[in-house]
Amino acid sequence: MFRYVAALFMVAGLLTGCGERKPVLHVYNWADYMKPSLVRQFEEEFNCRVVIDTFDSNEAMYARLRAGASGYDVIFPSTYMVQIMQEQGMLQPLNPDLIPNTAHLDPAYQEMAADADCTHAVPYMISNAGLAYRADSVEDVKPSWAMLDRTDLRGRMTMLDDMRETIGAALKYLGYSLNTRNVEELEEARDVVIRWKRNLAKFENEQYKNGIASGEFLLVHGYNGDIMQVMEENEHVVYIVPEEGVSIALDEMVIPVDARQVELAHAFINFLHRPEVAAENTEYVFFLCPNAAAYELIDDELLNDPSINLEPEILARSEVIEDLGEDNRLYTAVWDEIKAAR
Amino acid sequence: MHLRKPSITEWLITLPSLIWLFILFLIPTLIVFAIAFKPPDPWGGIGSGWTLDTLRSLANPNYPPIVYRTIGLSIGTTVICLSLALPTGYAIARAPAKWRRILLLLIVIPFWTSFLIRIFAWKVLLHPDGHLKQFLVFLRLADEQSMLLYRPEAVLLVMVYTLLPFAVLPLYAASEKFDFRLLEAARDLGATPWRAFREVFIPGVRRGLLTAVLMVFIPALGSYIIPDLVGGPRSEMVGNKIAQRTFVDRNLPHASALSAGLTLAVMAPMLVVLMLQGRRRDALET
């Protein structure tokens, strides 16, 4: 099926290419995650066409690749999914000579990446999951996960319907690692989430954005870039980074083993880490590209926004969610108990 | 009455739908059943070999509340839908022909709007700062803190709203064929209107009732999107658990085992109905 589509694209390329066949780069990325004019710029500079296909969760992307989808040249999975794909032999090694711009990577974030030496993955954007509240209705706000214990907000708060994020928030609140495999720590976190759950309207991954914008929810657990997009339109919404630490997600760029345009794929990764390109992209999507040379070019207000660029002491307490393989079951079991609890 | 042997033409006419059902329903269902007996691998795939572990893990003590809630909400939806649809079907069937068409149209019109948009409309209606809430507060039926959304009652309300037309239509169809002179006869023989409705009309539209039960109960059991959107942390149904097993836990065998259980649960009421109808046919033949 996908080969079929790819073939169709090639035919289309032949028909429109005026006799000259431009190479086509197939990109598989999250929606609204790249400034469109930068893609145009790349196409002109490298005399190629870029076809972007989007996914809404790592799992959906992974399931589609496992089901036989092929023909992608660059994919943007999160760290834990990079680990899984690497273990499954789905990624090809990167050629460091073709991506010299990795020299600009911010070492503070590079340590968190799936692969600190960029042998098969290069970080693209950083996000974190914190809290957002309605400044017009909520008083005495503390930058802490303890806000979820506020009974005066009962029924007007949401947490992510995501076991790793939500149990992770409780683990951080208790001062533990959000990648813990310690059953006792997980049980403690379970009891905290069950306590919070009594105050929640629901567990929610998408509608919290509309909910906080419309005032239906007064405090929500969500991702910084998503909230900042809401804040652009609604002045009452404020994002806070809980001081106990947060989960950091790192989306990375990888080249799958069956990529056709391997050189062009390297060029694309390198292009996105040109300092001026990375800066422009960050200012558009409100997520931080961990490119130290780009920081100087980003608007100061945005760069110093503590919700985009975490303060050093909070960053030190924050972690990237890792895939735990077999031990994911520990989280599933706790999550089931949380969901079942009254 | 003897069943004629179906002719070749009849077979040929039925063949496309049989092939359709075979490829798009029977085979996928069997695959789901088969996957339930496979071990999962930690990367979201399906391992090799066969195992009964997944079936054993269904004994998870967290499941019974979800199963009871699913069955309870489905039965509640069915009972409310039927008790609303029965008088509605009766009234439409007795209405003058001109009105009948308009009433039927009114029942069908909501389908012109996307199902999802109608659920979101409920979220607006039940918004904590919405007019309905303010009205209830004004009537002292609710206070500022009470929530209309994100509770099992909200799920029940929206399920009844969504599935009601599926109960009204078969009941209307059955009422339309009902010979209303029988009600007059019952009255002539001294029955009260309520007794005539209960003992003559309801048995008379029995087939319509059975169809309505199936049309409401089965989709209610498999609900996923309604509890997901208007349900709260205490409104999870089996459908939501299947979604979690598939997307979050990356455990396809477990999701398959739950789906298989749901399929069997859906088949049970259908078998009961088939048996009831079969017994009636036997009774007619003898």
Side-chain angles (χ1 to χ4, degrees):
Chain A
M1 166 73 193
F2 290 99
R3 257 173 228 161
Y4 211 67
V5 173
L8 273 178
F9 275 123
M10 270 183 203
V11 172
L14 275 178
L15 291 176
T16 54
C18 302
E20 167 208 17
R21 222 176 99 184
K22 286 185 182 180
V24 178
L25 183 75
H26 290 271
V27 174
Y28 200 17
N29 194 2
W30 304 81
D32 303 323
Y33 208 26
M34 195 177 288
K35 188 173 181 179
S37 66
L38 292 172
V39 177
R40 299 289 92 77
Q41 188 186 332
F42 180 80
E43 285 180 328
E44 274 167 32
E45 220 172 288
F46 289 83
N47 192 29
C48 66
R49 288 201 320 117
V50 177
V51 176
I52 299 183
D53 209 351
T54 62
F55 54 88
D56 62 1
S57 76
N58 281 301
E59 282 70 21
M61 177 273 295
Y62 177 75
R64 226 169 117 182
L65 290 181
R66 295 302 282 182
S70 63
Y72 293 114
D73 301 307
V74 186
I75 309 180
F76 290 69
S78 309
T79 306
Y80 76 98
M81 192 50 81
V82 174
Q83 291 174 328
I84 295 176
M85 292 168 81
Q86 172 68 4
E87 279 168 34
Q88 295 284 292
M90 296 162 77
L91 307 180
Q92 58 173 279
L94 300 178
N95 181 346
D97 298 336
L98 296 177
I99 36 175
N101 286 342
T102 50
H104 302 307
L105 283 168
D106 182 345
Y109 287 107
Q110 189 53 26
E111 292 166 10
M112 300 176 174
D115 142 37
D117 310 319
C118 294
T119 54
H120 56 266
V122 176
Y124 175 60
M125 290 277 173
I126 309 280
S127 62
N128 61 68
L131 297 171
Y133 69 97
R134 290 281 300 207
D136 51 343
S137 318
V138 185
E139 283 162 8
D140 301 330
V141 176
K142 269 197 314 177
S144 163
W145 292 112
M147 287 296 288
L148 292 158
D149 275 317
R150 286 271 294 263
T151 45
D152 60 321
L153 302 176
R154 177 169 285 175
R156 306 291 289 272
M157 303 192 281
T158 68
M159 288 192 83
L160 289 168
D161 189 8
D162 181 314
M163 63 176 187
R164 292 301 304 278
E165 291 288 2
T166 292
I167 300 171
L171 286 166
K172 280 285 144 201
Y173 168 75
L174 294 165
Y176 301 136
S177 160
L178 52 71
N179 290 312
T180 183
R181 296 168 198 246
N182 178 324
V183 178
E184 278 157 29
E185 291 177 3
L186 276 170
E187 282 174 356
E188 242 183 281
R190 172 197 66 197
D191 295 337
V192 169
V193 178
I194 292 175
R195 193 174 79 214
W196 287 343
K197 179 181 154 178
R198 300 199 182 99
N199 296 334
L200 296 183
K202 64 183 309 195
F203 291 108
E204 180 58 72
N205 281 343
E206 283 296 327
Q207 294 306 317
Y208 71 85
K209 297 174 236 169
N210 292 332
I212 190 105
S214 81
E216 181 178 9
F217 304 135
L218 302 178
L219 182 94
V220 297
H221 175 205
Y223 299 101
N224 61 337
D226 290 338
I227 304 280
M228 295 195 55
Q229 287 168 23
V230 175
M231 285 161 63
E232 280 288 285
E233 286 158 22
N234 192 320
E235 56 183 7
H236 299 301
V237 178
V238 179
Y239 185 78
I240 41 174
V241 181
E243 60 195 3
E244 298 95 339
V246 291
S247 76
I248 298 175
L250 201 57
D251 290 320
E252 313 200 23
M253 298 182 274
V254 299
I255 304 182
V257 277
D258 58 358
R260 295 203 187 88
Q261 299 288 347
V262 177
E263 258 182 58
L264 204 53
H266 279 90
F268 192 62
I269 295 174
N270 197 47
F271 172 80
L272 288 170
H273 269 295
R274 267 187 209 168
E276 62 278 11
V277 171
E280 204 179 328
N281 212 4
T282 288
E283 288 180 354
Y284 182 83
V285 296
F286 292 122
F287 287 104
L288 181 71
C289 180
N291 183 312
Y295 294 168
E296 291 159 24
L297 306 169
I298 298 175
D299 181 46
D300 274 349
E301 198 185 329
L302 189 69
L303 185 67
N304 297 328
D305 189 324
S307 56
I308 288 193
N309 208 350
L310 297 177
E311 286 167 22
E313 65 268 32
I314 295 186
L315 182 60
R317 286 193 285 264
S318 300
E319 288 169 276
V320 171
I321 292 177
E322 291 166 15
D323 184 64
L324 301 177
E326 294 276 340
D327 287 332
N328 270 331
R329 279 174 206 185
L330 300 175
Y331 283 77
T332 305
V334 164
W335 190 237
D336 277 350
E337 289 175 46
I338 290 169
K339 287 285 187 111
R342 301 218 136 243
Chain B
M1 196 172 86
H2 283 279
L3 278 178
R4 211 165 33 85
K5 252 196 161 169
S7 68
I8 296 269
T9 8
E10 279 175 283
W11 270 112
L12 282 178
I13 292 172
T14 337
L15 203 58
S17 49
L18 279 181
I19 293 176
W20 176 276
L21 280 176
F22 185 75
I23 296 179
L24 295 175
F25 174 73
L26 191 65
I27 293 183
T29 310
L30 290 178
I31 292 176
V32 167
F33 275 78
I35 291 177
F37 295 96
K38 289 288 212 176
D41 73 22
W43 306 280
I46 294 159
S48 53
W50 300 91
T51 173
L52 287 172
D53 286 350
T54 313
L55 286 197
R56 278 191 211 110
S57 67
L58 289 184
N60 183 331
N62 298 313
Y63 281 145
I66 296 175
V67 171
Y68 297 147
R69 186 184 300 132
T70 306
I71 295 176
L73 281 172
S74 304
I75 292 179
T77 307
T78 312
V79 169
I80 298 176
C81 278
L82 285 190
S83 46
L84 292 173
L86 200 56
T88 312
Y90 175 86
I92 298 179
R94 298 225 73 174
K98 187 182 71 180
W99 278 102
R100 210 180 295 165
R101 239 170 274 143
I102 295 174
L103 290 172
L104 276 179
L105 191 67
L106 288 177
I107 303 264
V108 178
I109 277 180
F111 288 104
W112 294 359
T113 312
S114 152
F115 170 58
L116 273 179
I117 290 180
R118 284 181 283 133
I119 300 182
F120 276 97
W122 273 106
K123 292 186 66 154
V124 175
L125 266 177
L126 301 176
H127 192 285
D129 296 329
H131 296 301
L132 181 68
K133 166 82 176 291
Q134 281 163 7
F135 185 63
L136 290 176
V137 171
F138 174 74
L139 291 181
R140 315 230 165 177
L141 288 171
D143 62 57
E144 282 298 336
Q145 287 293 309
S146 49
M147 289 293 294
L148 303 179
L149 274 172
Y150 312 123
R151 47 198 297 169
E153 294 87 341
V155 177
L156 184 67
L157 174 70
V158 178
M159 288 218 294
V160 167
Y161 160 78
T162 311
L163 296 171
L164 189 57
F166 297 102
V168 171
L169 294 177
L171 279 169
Y172 159 73
S175 314
E176 205 200 11
K177 294 198 198 86
F178 181 74
D179 185 350
F180 284 99
R181 284 173 306 180
L182 288 174
L183 282 182
E184 288 159 27
R187 294 295 309 276
D188 286 346
L189 293 171
T192 60
W194 167 237
R195 190 161 175 212
F197 184 82
R198 204 182 60 211
E199 290 186 17
V200 177
F201 179 72
I202 292 184
V205 294
R206 221 178 66 157
R207 291 193 80 124
L209 266 177
L210 284 175
T211 315
V213 167
L214 290 187
M215 296 286 279
V216 174
F217 187 69
I218 292 176
L221 271 185
S223 298
Y224 154 64
I225 203 77
I226 297 176
D228 196 47
L229 288 176
V230 301
R234 281 164 290 273
S235 324
E236 209 183 20
M237 292 175 70
V238 174
N240 306 92
K241 212 70 203 173
I242 296 175
Q244 183 202 326
R245 294 285 179 250
T246 311
F247 294 112
V248 183
D249 307 348
R250 301 199 296 272
N251 190 333
L252 279 183
H254 207 124
S256 300
L258 285 174
S259 306
L262 198 57
T263 310
L264 292 177
V266 164
M267 275 160 69
M270 289 188 74
L271 283 178
V272 170
V273 167
L274 279 179
M275 265 159 39
L276 280 175
Q277 291 184 341
R279 223 171 50 200
R280 185 141 182 265
R281 203 166 298 135
D282 290 344
L284 283 177
E285 278 168 26
T286 47

